[in-house]
């Protein structure tokens, strides 16, 4: 078998005294070899099973560290052929593609042909030049062509000032000749990871743009053309661009969270997080920890520092759903945070500033609760700079056909029944029904009907609706709100044979919120 080194010509290996300078060798005695072969003053290691290695204390080892599943590409731009050769020998075992270029004027043509993951760029090309200005010139041109390019500058005349300027002007890293191979490979690894992150981020943003374009037509799932809904849309447009705190009122299933998300999407904070918190699902003992966070060791089980929802939502929107369920004893703590715009983690005495847009919602008669001393009046004034009252579905009957068509198409696609339609008789039945569960109930009814249907048309018998008595609990005017709620909860639990999960789902509540009502009413 022919030794590997014998397959390379003098031109391929560029074994001149300059390669000693590139790799940091001073004399031939620095080179360790087995089957020696001289080539213009450089000694190469030749072995059938190892490959070509130029070694100085283990600095350059190509084949022993190569990755059989190579990925990534690099372009090396330098006017010194010896440097290009040494760089190529170092990088090829680690990359899918390595290209070299001696003339920087060809960079633009190369970048239009292929987008490299990493570009190694020399800073001096003219003979005798040591200022590095050429490197900055070509760096700027590369970034104009591809603003996301990962460019690593190389120079034999580096100093701290030059390195700082390189990073400021857009270089990813800065390498000084003669280099250490471990440093080059570590820099390459970091650059490839950064490139992968950029590619993933770009793909994610593209997906988000497509999704956002779909979501924002114009208010995504807030579907309606009734006068009541057009007024809601107009209110959203007016308040979204402000920093006003919003209180959304409405029955279960009317779409309070959808309205909150729409306000966020059209606000100045749209690029930041939207954090939703179900206040009914947070126990009193965990209230402060969940909302304000805690320090390590603050209580048993607090093994790490943890940010609360207010901190997580920083610069974004915090949506507190079911605010009416917040116990009176905890309302003062929430009020203090809203007023001072700062939180203090459990176990800490250091206040932390917060920057959030607050949106709250409830299905409770919150103004009546204030009159009954069940909700703090001062807290209400802090959270309801603007109130949005969502009408029940029974008050916007003209929107029912639009909603029905939307859900039929949605679940037709989901359950692979794209041609399914609603019969005229079914549409009449759906339009005359009172919908105590509002849009959420309509959505569930349509989903079940699509699943159970064996034809392309949805018929009335496939619409599983609540009995009239359920839709109109005994003369509601003769009972208090608590009595009405208790009867409705009892009815749902009975309907689902004691299955709390299913009852909570139909009521539009979390299991925790339903358990609290069961305890409250002694059911």
């Amino acid at each position: 078998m022919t030794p590997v080194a014998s397959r390379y010509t003098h031109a391929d290996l560029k074994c001149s005294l300059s390669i000693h300078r590139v790799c940091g060798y001073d004399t031939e005695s620095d080179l360790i070899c087995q089957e020696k072969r001289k080539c213009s003053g450089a000694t190469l290691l030749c072995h059938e099973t190892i490959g070509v290695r130029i070694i100085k204390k283990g600095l350059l080892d190509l084949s022993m560290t190569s990755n059989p599943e190579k990925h990534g590409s690099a372009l090396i731009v330098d006017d010194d052929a010896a440097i290009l050769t040494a760089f190529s020998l170092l990088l090829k075992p680690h990359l899918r593609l390595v290209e070299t270029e001696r003339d920087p004027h060809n960079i633009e043509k190369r970048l239009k042909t292929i987008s490299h993951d990493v570009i190694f760029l020399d800073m001096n090309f003219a003979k005798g030049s040591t200022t590095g200005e050429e490197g900055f010139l070509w760096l700027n041109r590369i970034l104009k062509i591809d603003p996301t390019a990962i460019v690593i500058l190389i120079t034999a005349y580096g100093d701290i000032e030059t390195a700082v300027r390189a990073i400021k002007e857009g270089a990813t890293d800065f390498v000084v000749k003669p280099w250490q191979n471990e440093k080059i490979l570590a820099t390459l690894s970091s650059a490839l990871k950064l490139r992968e992150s950029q590619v993933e981020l770009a793909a994610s943003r593209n997906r988000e743009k497509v999704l956002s374009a779909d979501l924002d037509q114009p208010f995504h799932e807030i579907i309606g053309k009734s006068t009541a809904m057009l007024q809601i849309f107009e209110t959203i447009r007016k308040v979204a661009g402000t920093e006003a705190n919003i209180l959304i009122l409405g029955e279960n299933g009317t779409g309070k969270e959808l309205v909150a998300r729409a306000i966020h999407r059209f606000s100045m904070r749209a690029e930041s997080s939207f954090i939703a918190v179900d206040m009914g699902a947070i126990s009193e003992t965990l209230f402060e920890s969940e909302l304000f966070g805690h320090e390590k060791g603050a209580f048993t089980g607090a093994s790490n520092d943890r940010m609360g929802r207010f901190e997580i939502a920083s610069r974004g929107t915090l949506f507190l759903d079911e605010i009416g369920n917040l116990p009176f004893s905890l309302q003062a703590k929430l009020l203090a945070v809203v007023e001072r715009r700062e939180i203090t983690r459990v176990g800490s005495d250091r206040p932390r500033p917060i920057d959030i847009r607050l949106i709250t919602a409830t299905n409770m008669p919150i103004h009546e609760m204030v009159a009954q001393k069940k909700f703090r009046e001062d807290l209400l004034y802090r959270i309801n700079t603007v109130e949005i009252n969502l009408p029940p579905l029974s008050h916007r009957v003209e929107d029912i056909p639009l909603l029905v068509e939307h859900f039929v198409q949605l679940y037709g696609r989901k359950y692979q029944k794209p041609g399914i339609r609603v019969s005229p008789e079914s549409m009449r039945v759906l339009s005359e029904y009172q919908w105590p569960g509002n849009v959420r109930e309509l959505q569930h009814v349509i989903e079940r009907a699509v699943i159970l249907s064996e034809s392309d048309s949805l018929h009335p018998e496939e619409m599983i609706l609540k009995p009239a008595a359920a839709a109109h609990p005994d003369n509601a005017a003769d009972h208090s709100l608590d009595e009405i709620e208790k009867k409705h909860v009892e009815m749902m639990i009975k309907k689902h044979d004691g299955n709390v999960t299913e009852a909570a789902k139909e009521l539009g509540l979390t299991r925790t919120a339903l358990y609290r009502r069961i305890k409250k009413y002694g059911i």
Side-chain angles (χ1 to χ4, degrees):
M1 182 178 292
T2 305
V4 175
S6 65
R7 297 203 294 270
Y8 291 82
T9 65
H10 174 69
D12 292 328
L13 297 173
K14 299 292 182 183
C15 300
S16 62
L17 290 176
S18 62
I19 205 166
H20 289 243
R21 175 172 57 81
V22 171
C23 295
Y25 300 116
D26 298 321
T27 65
E28 287 187 19
S29 61
D30 288 332
L31 300 174
I32 303 172
C33 64
Q34 291 182 359
E35 188 178 325
K36 293 182 179 180
R37 178 168 181 250
K38 295 294 183 67
C39 182
S40 298
T43 304
L44 304 179
L45 171 66
C46 306
H47 194 281
E48 294 176 0
T49 59
I50 298 179
V52 178
R53 290 192 295 164
I54 303 175
I55 304 175
K56 179 186 177 183
K57 299 177 183 177
L59 292 183
L60 183 56
D61 188 343
L62 304 183
S63 58
M64 297 297 285
T65 60
S66 64
N67 182 357
E69 297 181 359
K70 297 183 291 186
H71 66 283
S73 64
L75 172 64
I76 310 164
V77 185
D78 198 298
D79 61 330
D80 190 326
I83 289 178
L84 294 178
T85 299
F87 234 124
S88 296
L89 288 172
L90 176 61
L91 300 186
K92 280 183 177 178
H94 305 277
L95 295 171
R96 172 181 51 81
L97 174 67
V98 176
E99 291 190 341
T100 60
E101 177 57 62
R102 295 185 64 178
D103 185 355
H105 292 88
N106 293 328
I107 291 176
E108 183 175 355
K109 181 174 65 175
R110 283 185 173 274
L111 293 183
K112 287 181 178 179
T113 303
I114 182 172
S115 177
H116 288 281
D117 295 308
V118 185
I119 300 172
F120 289 92
L121 176 67
D122 190 26
M123 297 190 68
N124 297 292
F125 293 91
K127 188 174 182 180
S129 175
T130 62
T131 64
E133 290 301 321
E134 292 175 286
F136 290 120
L137 169 68
W138 291 110
L139 170 63
N140 290 327
R141 290 192 181 180
I142 289 171
L143 293 178
K144 281 185 179 179
I145 298 170
D146 180 6
T148 66
I150 306 295
V151 182
I152 299 171
L153 294 178
I154 318 165
T155 183
Y157 306 97
D159 55 32
I160 293 176
E161 184 179 347
T162 305
V164 170
R165 180 183 171 189
I167 300 303
K168 283 184 176 180
E169 294 202 14
T172 302
D173 209 335
F174 185 86
V175 175
V176 179
K177 304 179 216 175
W179 62 73
Q180 289 185 333
N181 293 336
E182 293 98 328
K183 165 66 175 173
I184 293 293
L185 294 179
T187 300
L188 174 67
S189 177
S190 298
L192 289 175
K193 289 177 181 177
L194 177 59
R195 184 66 169 179
E196 287 176 3
S197 298
Q198 285 184 343
V199 171
E200 290 175 4
L201 180 60
S204 176
R205 283 177 175 169
N206 285 336
R207 287 193 295 269
E208 287 179 3
K209 285 181 181 178
V210 173
L211 182 59
S212 294
D214 181 47
L215 292 179
D216 297 334
Q217 295 182 2
F219 293 104
H220 185 37
E221 292 181 350
I222 312 176
I223 297 168
K225 64 178 182 180
S226 62
T227 301
M229 291 310 298
L230 293 178
Q231 290 175 350
I232 296 295
F233 296 153
E234 184 61 26
T235 302
I236 292 173
R237 290 189 181 96
K238 288 179 179 179
V239 304
T242 73
E243 288 291 285
N245 291 337
I246 311 294
L247 173 62
I248 305 171
L249 302 175
E251 298 177 4
N252 282 328
T254 51
K256 295 185 289 294
E257 183 170 342
L258 290 176
V259 170
R261 289 184 180 276
I263 293 171
H264 173 72
R265 281 202 302 274
F266 287 95
S267 74
M268 294 179 289
R269 299 172 179 264
E271 297 299 318
S272 299
S273 301
F274 176 92
I275 303 298
V277 182
D278 182 356
M279 301 297 285
I282 298 178
S283 66
E284 293 187 37
T285 54
L286 293 178
F287 172 81
E288 289 185 81
S289 175
E290 286 292 326
L291 265 64
F292 311 144
H294 62 250
E295 298 286 298
K296 180 179 179 180
F299 50 83
T300 303
S303 56
N304 295 294
D305 292 347
R306 182 187 179 192
M307 290 195 300
R309 305 301 176 87
F310 275 88
E311 283 187 87
I312 295 172
S314 180
R315 299 183 181 180
T317 300
L318 180 64
F319 175 55
L320 301 182
D321 198 7
E322 293 196 41
I323 189 74
N325 291 327
L326 182 64
F328 194 83
S329 59
L330 299 178
Q331 292 174 20
K333 295 180 179 180
L334 178 59
L335 173 64
V337 170
V338 175
E339 286 182 333
R340 298 172 189 167
R341 310 299 287 180
E342 61 182 26
I343 57 95
T344 301
R345 292 183 180 180
V346 178
S348 172
D349 57 4
R350 180 169 67 89
R352 299 168 184 263
I354 55 170
D355 175 19
I356 61 154
R357 202 279 179 75
L358 182 65
I359 303 177
T360 55
T362 183
N363 64 342
M364 307 285 281
I366 199 163
H367 292 281
E368 292 180 24
M369 292 174 66
V370 169
Q372 297 167 3
K373 305 298 182 183
K374 293 181 179 179
F375 198 89
R376 293 181 65 108
E377 186 175 27
D378 47 2
L379 176 58
L380 176 61
Y381 289 151
R382 286 291 181 180
I383 64 176
N384 77 333
T385 306
V386 176
E387 277 189 16
I388 298 178
N389 286 274
L390 297 183
L393 187 54
S394 59
H395 290 185
R396 54 185 186 108
V397 178
E398 59 267 49
D399 290 334
I400 292 177
L402 286 177
L403 289 162
V404 170
E405 290 299 328
H406 169 74
F407 291 129
V408 167
Q409 291 180 22
L410 175 67
Y411 293 115
R413 288 193 300 269
K414 180 177 179 179
Y415 298 111
Q416 299 180 358
K417 297 181 179 181
I420 199 163
R421 295 289 181 269
V422 178
S423 70
E425 180 61 20
S426 294
M427 188 66 78
R428 184 188 64 78
V429 170
L430 294 172
S431 296
E432 291 177 355
Y433 183 64
Q434 291 300 305
W435 299 109
N438 294 293
V439 179
R440 184 181 292 119
E441 183 184 1
L442 173 61
Q443 179 179 355
H444 291 164
V445 166
I446 297 300
E447 182 177 12
R448 284 194 296 262
V450 170
I451 292 171
L452 298 174
S453 178
E454 296 181 350
S455 67
D456 291 337
S457 182
L458 297 179
H459 300 288
E461 58 270 21
E462 293 165 327
M463 305 295 172
I464 304 175
L465 303 174
K466 297 175 184 176
H472 303 278
D474 341 292
N475 299 322
D478 297 332
H479 299 277
S480 68
L481 289 171
D482 281 352
E483 289 175 326
I484 294 172
E485 184 176 52
K486 178 181 178 181
K487 285 180 177 293
H488 198 48
V489 169
E490 287 176 331
M491 182 177 62
M492 288 299 102
I493 292 174
K494 183 178 180 180
K495 175 182 176 181
H496 293 283
D497 298 323
N499 188 321
V500 175
T501 300
E502 290 301 317
K505 183 177 179 181
E506 184 158 347
L507 285 166
L509 300 173
T510 63
R511 282 170 51 90
T512 305
L514 180 55
Y515 274 123
R516 282 168 51 179
R517 285 165 172 77
I518 292 173
K519 181 179 179 181
K520 175 181 177 181
Y521 298 125
I523 298 174

